[in-house]
Amino acid sequence: GGGNMAAAGREEPPLGLEAVAEEAAAAASAGFRLTAVRREPAVRLQHGASGLEPLAWSEDHRVSVSTARSIAVLEQLSDVHSGGQDMVIHRTAVPAPGAACMLKVGPKKEVTECKEKFASSVDPTVSQTFMLDRVFNPEGKSLTPMRGFKYSSWSPLGCDANGRCLLAALTMDNRLTIHANLNRLQWVQLVDLTELYGERLFEAGYKLCKADAPCGELGDFPEFQRRHSMQTPVRMEWSGICTTQQVKHNNECRDVGSVLLAVLFENGNIAVWQFQLPFLGKESITSCNTIESGISSPSVLSWWEYEHNNRKMSGLIVGSAYGPVKIIPVNLKAVKGYFTLRQPVVLWQEMDQLPVHSIKCIPLYHPYQKCSCSLVVAARGPYVFWCLLLISKAGLNVHNSHVTGLHSLPIVSMTADKQNGTVYTCSSDGKVRQLIPIFTDVALKFEHQLIKLSEVFGSVRTHGIAVSPCGAYLAVITTEGMANGLHPVNKNYQVQFVTLKTFEEAAAQLLESSVQNLFRQVDLTDLVRWKILKDKHIPQFLQEALDKKIESCGSTYFWRFKLFLLRILYQSMQKAPSEVTWRPSHEDSKILISDSPGMGSTEDDQEEGTSKQARKQSLGDTGKGVDVDDNAEDSLHQSSDTGGREPMVEKLLEIQTQIEAVEMHLTREHMKRVLGEVYLHTWITENTSIPTRGVCDFLMSDDGYDDRTARVLIGHILKKMNKQTFPEHCSLCKEILPFTDRKQAVCSNGHIWLRCFLTYQSCQSLVYRRCLLHDSIARHPTPEDPEWIKRLLQGPCTFCDSPVF
């Protein structure tokens, strides 16, 4: 189990009677011990991991790995069309820029002269400091060039043009850029913030506000250093999405989503960039404000976002390499409903030389105080510093303490499951700790347990960890550990995956989900997929619970979940192709082996077939006449014990019928939604590029389908339309396109067009979009489309919830 139900923490030494209670609690919680299981495949990295916290996992299920040449991005898919048991990972990369980044500290000619002057200075404190400083000399000359990435950070979901996450990347030589992955294969750089910030400072004469004293000459070494440190980023973090108001030309107000990116600089300043969403590039930047944090030698940054009585508070938590941690107020102009602190709040003030390496801020609900609160955890050396913040009538309450005795080496990486507040820390020796916060009357304590990665992967060194968005998996960067007391000769960097939840926990979480979107819970659905492919059946408890949900609740989410389970079950019945399709076949060698009787397909053959499984497009095309018998032939070997091939064919046909029925239900529900929009937004339902009459007829064509809402809605629409039909015409031969099939339109001359699953219009252009799992296609919005149609076209896939590209 995930340990979330653990009864009590065990931090104080037990005394007398309490010891008995303690033992009982320990026995109870031992039942919930975390069993980490290895999840294939391990992904080999082409270059070594670099920077601090080299691993990050985005809300849309992409893992970014900072390496010495690029950021490797591994996207996890829960693929319903592949029968392989391995995790399905789609891999892309953000390459490091070719040229070194030179910070703008003055006019080019003047900078070159100053650099020559400092390099040849007779004062060794100047020449040595200058030559060895990698900010001044990123390409190194006598030193190795600075290659690779220092840090990367994912924005929340809904920031790029496809409604997914943006990636902010910081190179070792201090270039901060923002990237988006718009077409699935390549990453595009949208903006270079280092360059823009440098321009701003240059124009302002390197002063933060007009009242500042005029700055010195670039030829003075301290001034040269100051101008560099005020624009050398240390870390950057994204805020949540907030709403701003924009006044249009006709004085109407409209709400616009925006997101903030806070950038912490070496001198303690923080630049807060505000971007309008969707973020498209330079033109989406609304403002940039610089705040002075007053923290010397800052090392790390995190947003503090707190909701209290419907008032949103925000601030920035900054940690220092010397030890202190504090919250800095952030005043947000034009952001609705946001408030901030009046003055900074010190969470830890001791200059105890324990550097703050990583900070996570987790919003939780306090069961005893009956209010929301924030848990701030920071890795300081080998310890975890925690701080609980809650606002009561008396003001802001701050409780803090340290959790010690977790690791014998400094913590190299820390990650948190935002959903339940569980924190994971790891040191380089392959030991990971799970810390579960448990509330007490006043504050909280942690129940913690050790995950030894050596038990899962053998002897390894660890360089970074990240937990998946719903807490199902832990990704770990590993290299070989010591063998027989010797260090390895070569280092192979790999990203490996470990399960943190059992199948039962994942299924329960999916059934009780508040998100109600399968795509946003890919890590959980992947655990469920793995189980069904292994067992070749859907567990009884899950089937019953799901049917109960479908009966009691009108949400189509549970129907989509059911469709997902049926499709996976269908895949599990297929036999893996023993011949890998892209390999040349060696017929002769095959014959020799099969000459000897009883040497059929060995276990190994089947294993090989599964892992290199050629993708079988079986379900996406169920409506397009896939010959089930062919697939049934394949699945013979499974049914041999149940008496010949008949039962297997029966079983596959039965599952296929169920799949058809669920898909049909989802289509009809979406059709009702589309017709509702048509009814609301059109005077007479003129040709709004939605085949209204066709959809109405299609819904009414099945006598078995009796839905009162649909009947009433269709009655209203047909009354509005009077006798007008607005048929769709084939663009090749001008014939009428009848609406007989929800997936495609075929005209009388046999021209076939696919239908857009969001508007049911036939896609007659060459370019259209597809959903991530290739379930369905959708058309592109056109400039003449009204707002409501554009809104419909932004929707996710109606079968698998995945976004559409």
Side-chain angles (χ1 to χ4, degrees), residues 403-472:
V403 185
T404 57
L406 295 173
H407 295 279
S408 49
L409 291 171
I411 293 169
V412 292
S413 186
M414 180 171 77
T415 179
D417 178 354
K418 287 274 166 66
Q419 293 192 330
N420 57 15
T422 307
V423 176
Y424 298 88
T425 57
C426 104
S427 51
S428 61
D429 55 5
K431 292 195 173 76
V432 174
R433 283 273 178 185
Q434 180 195 44
L435 291 95
I436 300 158
I438 292 162
F439 284 98
T440 59
D441 293 348
V442 190
L444 52 77
K445 55 185 176 180
F446 286 94
E447 149 115 342
H448 50 86
Q449 52 180 321
L450 180 66
I451 305 170
K452 275 192 187 160
L453 293 178
S454 57
E455 289 171 7
V456 188
F457 303 127
S459 169
V460 287
R461 287 183 74 85
T462 37
H463 304 270
I465 54 173
V467 68
S468 65
C470 301

Side-chain angles (χ1 to χ4, degrees), residues 492-510:
N492 292 307
Y493 284 86
Q494 298 191 68
V495 178
Q496 310 216 48
F497 297 93
V498 176
T499 63
L500 296 175
K501 285 194 156 77
T502 60
F503 159 74
E504 288 76 13
E505 285 172 314
Q509 205 170 324
L510 283 164

Side-chain angles (χ1 to χ4, degrees), residues 714-733:
I714 289 170
H716 285 312
I717 284 176
L718 294 182
K719 201 183 287 171
K720 231 187 198 185
M721 285 181 79
N722 210 341
K723 293 210 165 44
Q724 290 150 314
T725 53
F726 303 119
E728 284 187 289
H729 291 277
C730 172
S731 62
L732 293 178
C733 64

Side-chain angles (χ1 to χ4, degrees), residues 233-248:
V234 179
R235 289 275 178 110
M236 64 288 170
E237 296 295 344
W238 298 89
S239 72
I241 290 178
C242 42
T243 315
T244 50
Q245 280 197 330
Q246 194 183 46
V247 181
K248 299 201 319 213

Side-chain angles (χ1 to χ4, degrees), residues 229 264-270 291-298 318:
S229 81
L264 177 65
F265 294 106
E266 218 171 58
N267 69 345
N269 288 349
I270 302 169
I291 305 167
E292 296 184 51
S293 76
I295 280 199
S296 53
S297 208
V318 184

Side-chain angles (χ1 to χ4, degrees), residues 250-546:
N250 58 1
N251 278 345
E252 268 183 38
C253 276
R254 76 182 185 116
D255 285 353
V256 179
S258 67
V259 69
L260 306 164
L261 180 69
V263 185
L264 177 65
F265 294 106
E266 218 171 58
N267 69 345
N269 288 349
I270 302 169
V272 179
W273 295 86
Q274 186 174 9
F275 306 127
Q276 192 177 315
L277 299 179
F279 182 74
L280 305 169
K282 222 174 190 169
E283 66 274 19
S284 303
I285 298 174
T286 19
S287 67
C288 174
N289 299 309
T290 305
I291 305 167
E292 296 184 51
S293 76
I295 280 199
S296 53
S297 208
S299 59
V300 62
L301 168 83
S302 175
W303 279 92
W304 176 61
E305 291 174 317
Y306 183 89
E307 207 162 318
H308 172 65
N309 292 346
N310 294 331
R311 290 173 56 143
K312 292 194 176 91
M313 307 281 288
S314 72
L316 283 162
I317 310 166
V318 184
S320 156
Y322 297 134
V325 180
K326 67 178 182 179
I327 304 182
I328 311 296
V330 179
N331 282 312
L332 304 179
K333 297 187 184 74
V335 178
K336 273 171 47 180
Y338 268 78
F339 300 86
T340 192
L341 305 159
R342 290 198 188 88
Q343 67 256 9
V345 175
V346 177
L347 305 183
W348 183 254
Q349 60 184 21
E350 303 296 325
M351 295 282 259
D352 50 18
Q353 306 300 319
L354 278 179
V356 183
H357 169 82
S358 170
I359 294 179
K360 298 278 179 262
C361 179
I362 308 157
L364 291 174
Y365 179 76
H366 200 303
Y368 300 112
Q369 306 286 336
K370 303 269 185 289
C371 66
S372 54
C373 57
S374 296
L375 172 62
V376 176
V377 279
R380 301 180 69 241
Y383 311 123
V384 170
F385 164 76
W386 64 266
C387 181
L388 188 69
L389 300 153
L390 60 122
I391 294 172
S392 67
K393 291 183 180 65
L396 182 67
N397 295 337
V398 180
H399 298 275
N400 63 18
S401 179
H402 280 80
V403 185
T404 57
L406 295 173
H407 295 279
S408 49
L409 291 171
I411 293 169
V412 292
S413 186
M414 180 171 77
T415 179
D417 178 354
K418 287 274 166 66
Q419 293 192 330
N420 57 15
T422 307
V423 176
Y424 298 88
T425 57
C426 104
S427 51
S428 61
D429 55 5
K431 292 195 173 76
V432 174
R433 283 273 178 185
Q434 180 195 44
L435 291 95
I436 300 158
I438 292 162
F439 284 98
T440 59
D441 293 348
V442 190
L444 52 77
K445 55 185 176 180
F446 286 94
E447 149 115 342
H448 50 86
Q449 52 180 321
L450 180 66
I451 305 170
K452 275 192 187 160
L453 293 178
S454 57
E455 289 171 7
V456 188
F457 303 127
S459 169
V460 287
R461 287 183 74 85
T462 37
H463 304 270
I465 54 173
V467 68
S468 65
C470 301
Y473 289 117
L474 187 73
V476 194
I477 301 178
T478 61
T479 50
E480 294 84 348
M482 288 175 74
N484 305 328
L486 298 173
H487 286 285
V489 182
N490 300 321
K491 265 190 185 178
N492 292 307
Y493 284 86
Q494 298 191 68
V495 178
Q496 310 216 48
F497 297 93
V498 176
T499 63
L500 296 175
K501 285 194 156 77
T502 60
F503 159 74
E504 288 76 13
E505 285 172 314
Q509 205 170 324
L510 283 164
L511 286 170
E512 298 305 323
S513 159
S514 57
V515 190
Q516 303 234 326
N517 179 306
L518 292 173
F519 170 71
R520 291 187 48 189
Q521 308 176 82
V522 162
D523 49 340
L524 297 173
T525 59
D526 185 71
L527 269 180
V528 171
R529 172 180 164 270
W530 188 26
K531 171 83 170 170
I532 294 172
L533 287 171
K534 272 196 302 199
D535 296 357
K536 301 194 178 355
H537 75 97
I538 301 169
Q540 193 63 36
F541 85 91
L542 177 55
Q543 224 156 357
E544 285 168 8
L546 189 54

Side-chain angles (χ1 to χ4, degrees), residues 579 584-596:
E579 189 56 37
S585 61
H586 303 296
E587 283 305 308
D588 44 350
S589 61
K590 279 260 164 70
I591 294 164
L592 288 172
I593 294 173
S594 58
D595 273 351
S596 51

